[in-house]
Amino acid sequence: MYHSNEYNAVIQYCESFSDGGSPLLSELERTTALRTLAPQMMSGAVQARLLEFLVRLRKPAYCLEIGTFTGYATIHMARAMAADAKLISYDVNPEVLAIARDYVTMANLPSEIELRQADAMIDIPVRAETYDMVFMDGHKASYSIMYDMLLPKMSTGALLVADNTLWSGKVVEAERDSDTEALHQFNEKVQKDPRVDVLLLPLRDGLSLITKK
């Protein structure tokens, strides 16, 4: 399903009838394809535009992204924020962060976005920041631990968006590798957590929308 020609055609159709593209973001897509080893790690256009749409609807004062990569989703979210809002984005890879910094500057968003080269799992717990929206796209095997760390740092009513929660549809298979099993356990954990409401969408590689009560 997720890699079929029919599915790709539907996604392309959705992209063509959705607002939010720009020459700069198209250039960033090309740069990511040329300069990174795993360009598929970049958020898809429809997914990034959904994140931008959610930011515009919810108007968060403080956003957090774990997994900047080259900044494609980062820029989408930041350009929908209010003038006094802030987006903090973490990645440990200096090479992809260099690309992200260049494009954040070209997008005229340096004051809205703070890019941190650090391990989010180590850095976030020692900070006093409280987040109104979180995009979690880090190490998949750590999702459950990351979730436990993030929830106390989120304001009441905050939205956490977790990426890759279907893992190319492998979560429904009887035999699961370690990453797939970790994501399945994360999905179970969130669904059973009375502190949140969750909606798992079959968009691209799976996107879980989790709101803190």
Coordinates of all heavy atoms in Angstrom, one line a residue, residues 43 47 50-51 54 64-66 77 133-140 142-144 146-147 150 154 159-167 183 186-187 190 197-211:
S43 N 10.2 15.0 5.9 CA 8.7 14.9 5.9 C 8.2 15.1 4.5 O 8.7 15.9 3.7 CB 8.1 16.0 6.8 OG 8.4 15.8 8.2
Q47 N 2.4 16.0 4.6 CA 2.5 15.9 6.0 C 3.0 17.3 6.6 O 2.5 17.7 7.6 CB 3.5 14.8 6.4 CG 3.9 14.7 7.8 CD 4.9 13.6 8.1 OE1 4.6 12.4 7.8 NE2 6.0 13.9 8.7
L50 N 0.3 19.7 6.7 CA -0.6 19.4 7.8 C -0.1 20.0 9.1 O -0.8 20.6 9.9 CB -0.8 17.9 7.9 CG -1.7 17.5 9.1 CD1 -3.1 18.1 9.1 CD2 -1.7 16.0 9.3
L51 N 1.2 19.8 9.3 CA 1.8 20.4 10.5 C 1.7 21.9 10.5 O 1.4 22.5 11.6 CB 3.3 20.0 10.6 CG 3.6 18.5 10.9 CD1 5.1 18.2 10.6 CD2 3.3 18.2 12.3
L54 N -1.8 22.7 11.4 CA -2.1 22.5 12.8 C -1.6 23.7 13.7 O -2.2 24.2 14.6 CB -1.5 21.2 13.3 CG -2.2 20.0 12.8 CD1 -1.4 18.7 13.1 CD2 -3.6 19.8 13.3
L64 N 8.1 22.6 19.9 CA 9.3 21.7 20.0 C 9.3 20.7 18.8 O 8.3 20.1 18.5 CB 9.3 21.0 21.3 CG 10.4 19.9 21.5 CD1 11.8 20.6 21.6 CD2 10.1 19.1 22.7
E65 N 10.5 20.6 18.2 CA 10.6 19.5 17.2 C 11.9 18.7 17.6 O 12.9 19.2 17.8 CB 10.9 20.2 15.8 CG 11.1 19.1 14.7 CD 11.4 19.8 13.3 OE1 12.1 20.8 13.3 OE2 10.9 19.2 12.3
I66 N 11.7 17.4 17.6 CA 12.8 16.5 17.8 C 13.1 15.7 16.5 O 12.3 14.9 16.1 CB 12.5 15.5 18.9 CG1 12.2 16.2 20.2 CG2 13.6 14.5 19.1 CD1 11.8 15.4 21.4
M77 N 6.3 24.7 9.8 CA 5.7 25.0 11.1 C 5.9 26.5 11.5 O 5.0 27.2 11.9 CB 6.1 24.0 12.2 CG 5.6 22.6 12.0 SD 6.0 21.6 13.5 CE 7.8 21.4 13.3
M133 N 3.1 22.6 21.5 CA 3.0 21.7 20.4 C 4.3 21.0 20.2 O 5.4 21.7 20.3 CB 2.5 22.4 19.1 CG 2.4 21.4 17.9 SD 1.6 22.3 16.5 CE 1.9 21.0 15.2
V134 N 4.3 19.7 20.0 CA 5.6 19.0 19.8 C 5.4 18.1 18.5 O 4.4 17.5 18.3 CB 5.8 18.0 21.0 CG1 7.1 17.2 20.8 CG2 5.9 18.8 22.3
F135 N 6.5 18.1 17.7 CA 6.6 17.2 16.6 C 7.7 16.2 16.9 O 8.9 16.6 17.0 CB 6.9 17.9 15.3 CG 7.0 17.0 14.1 CD1 6.2 15.9 13.9 CD2 8.0 17.3 13.1 CE1 6.3 15.1 12.8 CE2 8.1 16.4 12.0 CZ 7.2 15.3 11.9
M136 N 7.4 15.0 17.2 CA 8.4 14.0 17.6 C 8.7 13.1 16.4 O 7.9 12.3 15.9 CB 7.8 13.1 18.7 CG 8.8 12.2 19.4 SD 8.1 11.5 20.9 CE 7.0 10.2 20.2
D137 N 10.0 13.2 16.0 CA 10.5 12.4 14.8 C 11.9 12.0 15.0 O 12.7 12.0 14.1 CB 10.4 13.3 13.5 CG 10.6 12.5 12.3 OD1 10.4 11.3 12.3 OD2 10.9 13.2 11.2
G138 N 12.2 11.6 16.3 CA 13.5 11.1 16.6 C 13.7 9.6 16.5 O 13.1 9.0 15.7
H139 N 14.6 9.1 17.3 CA 14.9 7.7 17.3 C 13.7 6.8 17.7 O 13.1 7.0 18.7 CB 16.1 7.4 18.3 CG 16.6 6.1 18.3 ND1 16.8 5.3 19.4 CD2 17.1 5.3 17.2 CE1 17.3 4.1 19.1 NE2 17.5 4.1 17.8
K140 N 13.3 6.0 16.7 CA 12.0 5.2 16.9 C 12.0 4.3 18.1 O 11.0 4.2 18.8 CB 11.7 4.4 15.6 CG 11.8 5.3 14.3 CD 11.1 6.6 14.4 CE 11.4 7.5 13.3 NZ 11.0 8.9 13.4
S142 N 13.2 4.8 20.8 CA 13.1 5.6 22.1 C 11.8 6.3 22.2 O 11.6 7.1 23.1 CB 14.2 6.6 22.1 OG 15.5 6.0 22.0
Y143 N 10.8 6.1 21.4 CA 9.6 6.8 21.4 C 8.9 6.7 22.7 O 8.4 7.8 23.2 CB 8.6 6.3 20.3 CG 8.7 7.1 19.0 CD1 9.8 7.8 18.6 CD2 7.6 7.2 18.2 CE1 9.9 8.6 17.5 CE2 7.6 8.0 17.0 CZ 8.8 8.6 16.6 OH 8.8 9.4 15.5
S144 N 8.8 5.6 23.3 CA 8.1 5.4 24.6 C 8.8 6.2 25.7 O 8.1 6.9 26.5 CB 7.9 4.0 25.0 OG 7.0 3.3 24.2
M146 N 10.8 8.8 25.2 CA 10.7 10.2 24.9 C 9.3 10.7 25.2 O 9.2 11.8 25.7 CB 10.9 10.3 23.3 CG 11.4 11.6 22.9 SD 11.7 11.6 21.1 CE 12.9 10.4 20.9
Y147 N 8.3 9.9 25.0 CA 6.9 10.3 25.3 C 6.8 10.6 26.9 O 6.2 11.6 27.3 CB 6.0 9.2 24.9 CG 4.5 9.4 25.3 CD1 3.7 10.3 24.7 CD2 4.0 8.6 26.4 CE1 2.4 10.4 25.1 CE2 2.7 8.7 26.8 CZ 1.9 9.6 26.2 OH 0.6 9.7 26.6
L150 N 8.4 13.8 27.6 CA 7.8 15.0 27.1 C 6.5 15.4 27.7 O 6.2 16.6 27.9 CB 7.6 14.8 25.6 CG 8.8 14.9 24.7 CD1 8.4 14.4 23.3 CD2 9.4 16.2 24.6
M154 N 4.7 19.4 28.7 CA 3.6 19.9 27.8 C 2.5 20.6 28.6 O 2.2 20.1 29.7 CB 3.1 18.8 26.9 CG 4.1 18.3 25.9 SD 3.5 16.7 25.1 CE 2.0 17.2 24.4
L159 N -0.6 19.7 22.0 CA -0.6 18.6 20.9 C 0.8 18.1 20.7 O 1.7 18.8 20.5 CB -1.2 19.2 19.6 CG -1.1 18.4 18.4 CD1 -2.1 17.1 18.5 CD2 -1.5 19.2 17.1
L160 N 0.9 16.7 20.7 CA 2.1 16.0 20.3 C 1.8 15.3 19.1 O 0.8 14.5 19.0 CB 2.5 15.1 21.4 CG 3.9 14.4 21.3 CD1 4.4 14.0 22.7 CD2 3.9 13.2 20.4
V161 N 2.6 15.5 18.0 CA 2.5 14.8 16.7 C 3.6 13.9 16.6 O 4.8 14.3 16.6 CB 2.4 15.8 15.6 CG1 2.3 15.0 14.2 CG2 1.3 16.8 15.7
A162 N 3.4 12.6 16.6 CA 4.4 11.5 16.5 C 4.5 11.0 15.1 O 3.4 10.5 14.6 CB 4.2 10.4 17.5
D163 N 5.6 11.0 14.5 CA 5.8 10.6 13.1 C 6.2 9.1 13.0 O 6.7 8.5 14.0 CB 6.9 11.4 12.4 CG 6.8 11.3 10.9 OD1 5.8 10.8 10.3 OD2 7.7 11.8 10.2
N164 N 5.9 8.5 11.9 CA 6.3 7.1 11.6 C 5.7 6.0 12.4 O 6.2 4.9 12.6 CB 7.9 6.9 11.7 CG 8.6 7.9 10.8 OD1 9.3 8.8 11.4 ND2 8.5 7.9 9.5
T165 N 4.5 6.3 12.9 CA 3.9 5.3 13.9 C 3.2 4.1 13.2 O 2.7 3.2 13.9 CB 2.8 6.0 14.8 OG1 2.0 6.9 14.0 CG2 3.6 6.9 15.8
L166 N 3.2 4.1 11.9 CA 2.8 2.8 11.1 C 4.0 2.1 10.6 O 3.9 0.9 10.2 CB 1.8 3.2 10.0 CG 0.4 3.7 10.5 CD1 -0.4 4.0 9.3 CD2 -0.2 2.6 11.4
W167 N 5.1 2.8 10.4 CA 6.4 2.2 10.0 C 6.2 1.3 8.7 O 6.4 0.1 8.7 CB 7.0 1.3 11.1 CG 8.5 1.2 11.1 CD1 9.2 0.0 11.3 CD2 9.5 2.2 11.1 NE1 10.5 0.3 11.3 CE2 10.7 1.7 11.2 CE3 9.4 3.6 10.9 CZ2 11.9 2.4 11.1 CZ3 10.6 4.4 10.9 CH2 11.8 3.7 11.0
L183 N 7.6 0.7 18.1 CA 6.6 1.6 17.7 C 5.2 1.0 18.0 O 4.3 1.8 18.4 CB 6.7 1.9 16.2 CG 7.9 2.8 15.8 CD1 8.1 2.7 14.3 CD2 7.6 4.2 16.2
F186 N 4.7 1.6 21.6 CA 4.4 3.1 21.8 C 2.9 3.3 21.5 O 2.2 4.0 22.3 CB 5.3 3.9 20.9 CG 4.9 5.4 20.8 CD1 5.1 6.2 21.9 CD2 4.2 5.8 19.7 CE1 4.7 7.5 21.8 CE2 3.8 7.2 19.6 CZ 4.0 8.0 20.7
N187 N 2.5 2.8 20.4 CA 1.0 3.0 20.0 C 0.1 2.5 21.1 O -0.9 3.1 21.5 CB 0.8 2.4 18.7 CG 1.4 3.1 17.5 OD1 1.8 4.3 17.6 ND2 1.7 2.3 16.4
V190 N 0.3 4.8 24.3 CA -0.5 6.0 24.2 C -2.0 5.8 24.2 O -2.7 6.5 24.9 CB -0.1 6.8 22.9 CG1 -0.9 8.0 22.7 CG2 1.4 7.2 23.0
D197 N -5.7 12.0 24.6 CA -6.5 11.5 23.6 C -5.6 11.3 22.3 O -4.7 12.2 22.1 CB -7.7 12.4 23.2 CG -8.7 12.5 24.3 OD1 -9.1 11.4 24.9 OD2 -9.1 13.6 24.7
V198 N -5.9 10.3 21.5 CA -5.0 10.0 20.4 C -5.8 9.7 19.1 O -6.9 9.0 19.2 CB -4.0 8.9 20.7 CG1 -4.7 7.6 21.1 CG2 -3.0 8.7 19.5
L199 N -5.3 10.1 18.0 CA -5.8 9.7 16.7 C -4.7 9.4 15.8 O -3.8 10.2 15.6 CB -6.6 10.9 16.0 CG -7.1 10.7 14.6 CD1 -8.1 9.5 14.5 CD2 -7.7 12.0 14.0
L200 N -4.6 8.1 15.3 CA -3.5 7.6 14.5 C -4.0 7.7 13.0 O -5.0 7.0 12.7 CB -3.1 6.2 14.9 CG -1.7 5.8 14.5 CD1 -1.4 4.4 15.1 CD2 -1.5 5.7 13.0
L201 N -3.3 8.5 12.2 CA -3.7 8.7 10.8 C -2.9 7.9 9.9 O -1.6 7.9 10.1 CB -3.6 10.2 10.5 CG -4.5 11.2 11.3 CD1 -4.1 12.6 10.9 CD2 -6.0 10.9 11.0
P202 N -3.4 7.3 8.9 CA -2.6 6.6 7.9 C -2.1 7.5 6.8 O -2.2 7.3 5.6 CB -3.7 5.6 7.3 CG -4.9 6.3 7.4 CD -4.9 7.2 8.6
L203 N -1.4 8.6 7.2 CA -0.8 9.5 6.3 C 0.7 9.3 6.2 O 1.4 9.2 7.2 CB -1.0 11.0 6.8 CG -0.3 12.1 6.1 CD1 -0.8 12.1 4.6 CD2 -0.6 13.4 6.7
R204 N 1.1 9.0 5.0 CA 2.5 8.7 4.7 C 2.9 7.5 5.5 O 2.5 6.4 5.3 CB 3.4 9.9 4.9 CG 4.7 9.8 4.1 CD 5.4 11.2 4.0 NE 6.6 11.1 3.2 CZ 7.9 11.2 3.7 NH1 8.0 11.4 5.1 NH2 8.9 11.2 3.0
D205 N 3.8 7.7 6.5 CA 4.3 6.6 7.3 C 3.6 6.4 8.6 O 4.1 5.8 9.5 CB 5.8 6.7 7.5 CG 6.5 5.4 7.8 OD1 5.9 4.3 7.5 OD2 7.6 5.4 8.4
G206 N 2.4 7.1 8.8 CA 1.7 7.0 10.0 C 2.0 8.3 10.9 O 3.1 8.6 11.1
L207 N 0.9 9.0 11.3 CA 1.1 10.2 12.1 C 0.1 10.1 13.2 O -1.1 10.1 13.0 CB 0.8 11.4 11.2 CG 1.4 12.7 11.5 CD1 2.9 12.6 11.4 CD2 0.9 13.8 10.6
S208 N 0.6 10.1 14.4 CA -0.3 10.1 15.6 C -0.5 11.5 16.2 O 0.5 12.2 16.5 CB 0.3 9.2 16.7 OG 0.3 7.8 16.3
L209 N -1.7 11.9 16.3 CA -2.1 13.2 16.9 C -2.5 12.9 18.4 O -3.5 12.3 18.6 CB -3.2 13.9 16.2 CG -3.0 14.1 14.7 CD1 -4.1 14.9 14.0 CD2 -1.7 14.7 14.3
I210 N -1.7 13.4 19.3 CA -1.9 13.1 20.7 C -2.2 14.5 21.5 O -1.3 15.3 21.5 CB -0.7 12.4 21.3 CG1 -0.4 11.1 20.5 CG2 -0.9 12.1 22.8 CD1 1.0 10.6 20.7
T211 N -3.3 14.6 22.1 CA -3.6 15.8 22.9 C -3.6 15.5 24.4 O -4.1 14.5 24.8 CB -4.9 16.5 22.5 OG1 -6.0 15.5 22.6 CG2 -4.9 17.0 21.1

